[in-house]
Structures are given as C-alpha cells and as structure tokens.
Amino acid sequence: MLALGALGVVYGDIGTSPLYTVQEIFQPATGVTLNAANITGAISAIVWALMLIVTLKYVVLILRADNRGEGGGLALTALATRAVGNGRPGLRKFLLLMGVFGATLFYGDSVITPAVSVMGAIEGLEVINPALKTFVLPVSLGVLLALFLIQRLGTHSVGKVFGPVLGLWFVVLALSGLQHIRAQPQVLAALNPLVAWDFLTHRGWQVLATLGAIVLALTGAEALYADMGHFGAKPIRLAWTGLVFPSLVLNYMGQGALLISEPDAIANPFFRMFPSSLLVPMVVLAAMAAVIASQAVISGAYSMTKQAIQLGFLPRMEVRYTSAREMGQIYVPGVNWALLVGVVAAVLMFGSSSALAGAYGMAVTLTMMITTVLTFFVVRDGWRLPMAVAVPATLFFLTLDVLLVAGCAIKLLDGGWFPLAMGLALFVVMSTWATGRHLLMKSIQRDGMELEPFVESLAADNCNRASRTAVYAVANPHTVPQALLHNLKHNQVLHECNVIMTVMFQEVPWVPDSQRVEVEAMAPGFWRVKLHFGFMDQPDVPHALTLCAAKGLTIPAFETSYFLSRETVIPTPGAGMADWREHLFAAMSRNAGSVAEFFCLPDNAVVELGTRVQI
C-alpha cells in the first residue's frame, strides 16, 4: 500500500517524461538524424541513463542516506555537515551554502515542472484535431490556475486517487509500448549498453545537445530521495523496480519502434502510439498524470520552505496544516501564489512544451551534482567507508552529472537561464536572511545585558509581583530579553514565575518529546528553558512547555502570558553586509510572519514589545 502511495507522490514527475523526451531528442538543434540506428541508440541512451542515475545512484545508494527517516536536499546537507563535524568550519560552511543553493534550485524546478507537464499533456489536443492548437495555451493556463486554487483545501482527499491514477498511467505506458515493440522487435537492441555508447560517441561535439534532451527522462529523480520521509526507502524501491522502471523502459522502446516504422510520428510520438478512438481518454489521463506530477513538486516546495524557515534561511511565513492526521500535509499561501505567478509567466513566455523543455534541466542537473558531492562526505565521513570505495563511486557519478550539466548549459540562452535565475535570486534572499539574522543576534548580544547577574539582582529586589507566569522568548539564552526590560521599565512589575525561553531548531528532522525541553532553575521565580525542535517538527511552544512539569516547572496554560520582542532593523552603512543587502534584510524582517502564529501561541495571551536594533 505504501508503494502504491509512492506512485502518486514520488513518480509523477519522472512518469510524465515520456510525453516530451523522445520528441526533443530529434529536434533540429540536437543534430540527430531520424533513422533506425539513431532511434535505437537514443532509446538505449535513455534506458541506461535511467539505469545508472536513477536506479544505481538514487535507488541503490542515496536512499540509504536517511536523516532519521527524512530525505531531500536540506536533510542531506544536515547529514553532510554533521559528518564533517565542527573541526573543519570552512568546509562545513561551504557544504551548507552548497546545500542551500541546491534547495533554491528546487524552486526553479517547481515552476518549470507544472508548466511543461501540463502543456505536454494538453498538446495532445493537436493530435486529435490540428485546429485545436489555439486552445492549448488557454486550456493549460486554466488547468494550472485550478491546480493552484485548490491547494488551500489540502492534498488529503485528492491524495487517495493519486496512487491508483498513476498506477493506471504506468500500466498504460507499458501496454502501449509492448504493442509497438511486437511490431518492431529490432528496437530491443536498445537494452544493450554498447548501443548507447556507440550512439553518444558518434555525436561529436553535438553530444552535449543530445544529453541536454536525454536529461528530460531523468526529471523527478530527486523526488525519490526528497519524499523518502513520507513512505520510507523500501516502498519507493519496490514501486520503482516493480512497476515504474519497467513501464518507462517499455514505453520509450515502444516510441522508438513507432518511429522506426512511422518517422512522421516524430511530431508527437507519445500520442501517436494510440489509435484515434483512444486519443481523448489518453489526453484526459495524461492531463491527470501531469497535474499529479505538478502536485508533487508544489507540495515539495511547501515542505522545503518550512524546513528553510526552521533552519534560519527564510523569514517566518504563514504555514497552514491541512490534515489533522498527517503533519507533512501543509499549505504555505505565500509560496503558492509566488509559484502560480512564476508558472503563468513561464507558460506565457515560452508558449509550448518544446520551448519549455529548453528551460528544463539546468536546475535539475545542478541539484543532482550537488547531491553527489554532499553524498561523498556522508559516505566517507559519516559511514566511514574507505577512500578506495568512496572516491571512484563519487567520480563515476560526478562525471555523469557534469556531462548532463554541460548538456543543459548549451540551452542556457534558449531558456535554461530562467530556473537558474530564479534559483540565484532566491539564494541571495536566503543567504541575506541567514547573514542578517546572525548580525542581528550579534548586535543584540553586544548591546544586551548578561542574564545571570541581572536575575540575581532582581531576586533581592522587592518590586511588585503579578500572580501569573510570564514566558519571555529570547534568541540568546544568556542575554536579558528586551521584552523583560521594557516590562520592568514601563510597568514596574515582575511576575511570580518568569520563564526565559529559547527555541532551538536542530539539524535533524524530528526531536522526540523526551529530548524536547531543558529546564534550569536560576533564582527564586526565574527559570531558563530551552525547547528543541527538528526542521520537520511543528514548533508548538505551549504543548512543549507542558513537558516542563516532569522536570519541576509547571506552566499553567490559562495563567500564562507570552512576552515577545519585535525588532525593528536599522541598517547602518559601512558595517555588516552590503548596504542593499541590509535594506533587503530590513524589508524582509518588517514583513516576516507573526511569531505568535509560527509558535502556535494563543492570541489572547501574547504581548509584543518593540525595540530598534542597528546592524
């Protein structure tokens, strides 16, 4: 059952690649002549790319690199940085920045995937009737708009049909391929890796253009690892080896067999595999598969955003939980509308799946290369495998990745710049936020008062005490919270119980309740509490504080006030970051989401006090 579920979420992207991959290999730009030898060679190259990169690299190797059950770019980055340890701070920072850059490229993929998948499916209308070509663009935009509008409802109810629909899709891929292979069994020569080698080595310098088209068959490979936490490695492996891989191989060989017998079918080899009586249901099924493929990367973008927020690379945003049973099912409105704008812009800018295919690949292949580099440090420093094993394996996969990146790089001016520009812009935003928060914490620590002597001085003071519990949130557990200073200055009152609370996000997906809280008694009426969350946890502070009772501190839910400091950032020229980055950070800080909502604090128990901080 888990493998069936994995079909719908994990394999939607790679499962819709047959819609456009073979067609793109024989475009004029690649210089591949449409003849029987080249058709068999191209199909062989696709089959062995799936075998080496998806099966060997991801399914066999990288799925083993689980971060307490979670996968994905940021989880792998956390594993790699933890493996190298704190003894090599320069390398650790480099790996962290590389991992964050890989995560930003995922957003570029999240824009291009819905656009190219949906347009590739709707273009089946042209095969039904060429006069319907004018409807492809508006229908594609309508489907995409509907897809993003229903995101706020959550994926729970839709998810029930994802697996069966994709299961039907893969069965249809396999059966349609088999039918054409029977007519042209010579295409079975594609199973020989020497045929792929022969085809690629005879391309000369144009092999890069050919690889840039072949990479379309690999899109979605990262999803195998990114969605591991939802299903586990075993169901993902079972779905790939039992259904997805055989179905893709059969369909690609079937398209090759069709082209050998009918070269004119190159206009749309996928839909030309079916008789005219089945074209309408196939367009509908393809559109459903494309929507499911799009849903997978959109949901992935939400999860990636939540992880980035909790690791300190993005400002707080509104995160809605759409399922009472599944914490992973979330909706991030800001990301949803930003993706919609990007997808609509991509569709209008490129206008067809063929043009969008030119934009596709750059972000995906760079992410694959970053994954290979990070995995080396996990294999060598984390798993302690000998260099004689780690280095050759890494060099083999890195060589494949570099060739694919080079193949996509020649499409840079044809559209490859689009997802790359998006990724670079987002990397600037994320690195600016992380650096700005570091500077902000340094400024608060420099200008703040030390907590321990301050608390000791208050213990002997006979100031007024309110009979409630006050929780003061502070980033640095050794600094007096600004909200506490303001409360004393303006209200001249302390509470009977004062909790200095620091929330800390760890580089692990989940933190068990047994390790959630640290409690330290400082002085009569003063406690220091540290709360630990993983980057996949929901940071529910009131619930976490109830766990303090087992460690001697009872915090009554209905007699507690939460005091928060809201910093107004003041950029100062000549210090910290470049002037424009400081202003960007200040703008992001002003527009960051509510701390109270992010930490699930009750609205009627929160007091926010502002303070101005120079960076």
Side-chain angles (χ1 to χ4, degrees):
M1 291 304 296
L2 282 171
L4 180 63
L7 285 178
V9 176
V10 178
Y11 293 112
D13 192 358
I14 200 167
T16 52
S17 295
L19 285 168
Y20 43 78
T21 301
V22 175
Q23 181 182 359
E24 290 306 311
I25 292 175
F26 293 97
Q27 291 293 319
T30 64
V32 181
T33 308
L34 189 63
N35 57 45
N38 283 343
I39 291 169
T40 307
I43 300 302
S44 182
I46 292 174
V47 169
W48 284 96
L50 290 171
M51 175 62 80
L52 294 176
I53 294 176
V54 182
T55 306
L56 195 58
K57 176 181 170 182
Y58 281 94
V59 174
V60 174
L61 174 63
I62 292 179
L63 282 182
R64 298 177 185 273
D66 69 293
N67 191 341
R68 298 194 183 181
E70 288 295 330
L74 290 177
L76 182 63
T77 302
L79 270 180
T81 53
R82 196 158 65 242
V84 301
N86 296 321
R88 293 176 281 179
L91 176 60
R92 198 173 189 275
K93 184 177 181 181
F94 172 73
L95 294 178
L96 187 62
L97 289 175
M98 181 186 291
V100 171
F101 181 58
T104 64
L105 292 173
F106 183 84
Y107 290 94
D109 186 23
S110 301
V111 167
I112 298 295
T113 292
V116 72
S117 298
V118 170
M119 287 206 78
I122 303 302
E123 282 170 354
L125 292 172
E126 299 178 39
V127 181
I128 298 171
N129 188 338
L132 296 176
K133 182 176 181 178
T134 55
F135 292 96
V136 170
L137 189 64
V139 171
S140 298
L141 287 173
V143 170
L144 289 165
L145 181 61
L147 174 64
F148 282 95
L149 286 175
I150 64 170
Q151 291 302 310
R152 61 187 178 84
L153 303 177
T155 59
H156 181 66
S157 56
V158 183
K160 292 178 181 178
V161 300
F162 277 11
V165 169
L166 261 293
L168 174 62
W169 171 256
F170 285 116
V171 169
V172 170
L173 290 185
L175 293 178
S176 60
L178 276 171
Q179 181 185 355
H180 289 278
I181 292 169
R182 286 174 59 190
Q184 292 287 344
Q186 69 193 76
V187 79
L188 289 171
L191 295 175
N192 183 352
L194 295 178
V195 173
W197 177 261
D198 228 33
F199 169 72
L200 293 173
T201 52
H202 282 82
R203 299 265 65 77
W205 66 270
Q206 287 185 310
V207 69
L208 294 180
T210 309
L211 288 171
I214 290 171
V215 77
L216 296 172
L218 307 174
T219 56
E222 280 285 324
L224 274 73
Y225 182 49
D227 290 312
M228 181 168 60
H230 296 285
F231 303 99
K234 188 176 180 180
I236 291 174
R237 289 193 180 105
L238 179 62
W240 173 256
T241 55
L243 180 61
V244 178
F245 182 50
S247 298
L248 290 174
V249 169
L250 289 172
N251 189 264
Y252 281 124
M253 289 199 297
Q255 290 189 48
L258 171 67
L259 290 176
I260 290 172
S261 58
E262 298 178 38
D264 291 344
I266 192 60
N268 199 320
F270 179 81
F271 284 107
R272 289 285 292 271
M273 296 177 75
F274 302 93
S276 56
S277 59
L278 292 179
L279 280 177
V280 173
M282 275 311 301
V283 170
V284 173
L285 182 60
M288 292 174 69
V291 167
I292 293 171
S294 304
Q295 179 65 58
V297 293
I298 294 168
S299 300
Y302 298 156
S303 298
M304 186 76 75
T305 300
K306 181 187 173 187
Q307 294 179 33
I309 291 170
Q310 298 188 177
L311 288 174
F313 290 106
L314 281 175
R316 291 178 302 277
M317 300 181 194
E318 181 185 0
V319 177
R320 299 180 191 170
Y321 292 83
T322 59
S323 171
R325 292 182 294 176
E326 299 292 335
M327 283 184 59
Q329 292 187 15
I330 60 174
Y331 168 63
V332 185
V335 173
N336 187 66
W337 303 124
L339 287 178
L340 174 59
V341 170
V343 169
V344 170
V347 169
L348 294 176
M349 188 183 304
F350 294 100
S352 71
S353 65
S354 182
L356 279 162
Y360 211 17
M362 196 68 201
V364 176
T365 51
L366 280 172
T367 305
M368 288 178 174
M369 188 165 67
I370 289 170
T371 297
T372 300
V373 174
L374 293 174
T375 304
F376 168 76
F377 291 97
V378 174
V379 169
R380 179 70 187 101
D381 297 305
W383 300 347
R384 303 293 181 185
L385 292 184
M387 293 290 277
V389 174
V391 171
T394 301
L395 288 177
F396 174 72
F397 290 123
L398 197 58
T399 301
L400 295 176
D401 293 333
V402 169
L403 286 172
L404 293 175
V405 169
C408 293
I410 65 173
K411 301 189 293 184
L412 200 61
L413 297 180
D414 293 330
W417 59 269
F418 185 75
L420 198 58
M422 285 186 60
L424 287 171
L426 195 55
F427 180 74
V428 169
V429 168
M430 293 173 76
S431 61
T432 297
W433 179 258
T435 306
R437 289 297 299 174
H438 175 69
L439 293 173
L440 183 65
M441 292 303 103
K442 282 181 64 176
S443 179
I444 291 174
Q445 188 174 5
R446 183 180 63 246
D447 300 333
M449 300 172 61
E450 283 193 38
L451 181 62
E452 286 82 355
F454 179 79
V455 167
E456 290 173 7
S457 67
L458 285 179
D461 198 341
N462 294 321
C463 64
N464 297 321
R465 297 264 181 169
S467 57
R468 283 177 66 88
T469 297
V471 176
Y472 294 95
V474 61
N476 186 337
H478 302 289
T479 303
V480 180
Q482 292 292 317
L484 174 56
L485 291 174
H486 286 309
N487 195 30
L488 273 174
K489 178 181 178 182
H490 297 292
N491 300 324
Q492 298 182 352
V493 66
L494 274 176
H495 288 70
E496 283 187 357
C497 179
N498 299 275
V499 178
I500 313 301
M501 178 191 72
T502 303
V503 177
M504 309 178 80
F505 288 99
Q506 308 299 324
E507 293 179 353
V508 295
W510 315 99
V511 172
D513 280 353
S514 59
Q515 301 172 21
R516 180 81 67 206
V517 300
E518 292 180 51
V519 177
E520 177 190 350
M522 299 186 68
F526 278 89
W527 301 76
R528 178 157 49 200
V529 172
K530 295 179 182 178
L531 304 182
H532 299 276
F533 295 98
F535 56 75
M536 295 292 289
D537 280 323
Q538 180 183 359
D540 188 339
V541 165
H543 172 73
L545 290 176
T546 62
L547 302 175
C548 294
K551 302 195 176 185
L553 171 61
T554 301
I555 301 177
F558 299 105
E559 299 176 16
T560 300
S561 300
Y562 296 90
F563 289 84
L564 307 177
S565 299
R566 189 169 185 91
E567 300 91 0
T568 300
V569 177
I570 309 298
T572 54
M577 297 183 289
D579 193 45
W580 65 270
R581 291 185 74 193
E582 289 197 358
H583 281 88
L584 174 61
F585 174 71
M588 287 193 289
S589 185
R590 283 194 303 271
N591 293 285
S594 165
V595 179
E597 287 185 13
F598 185 72
F599 289 126
C600 307
L601 304 180
D603 292 334
N604 59 354
V606 175
V607 179
E608 284 199 42
L609 299 168
T611 182
R612 294 164 67 86
V613 181
Q614 291 186 338
I615 61 170

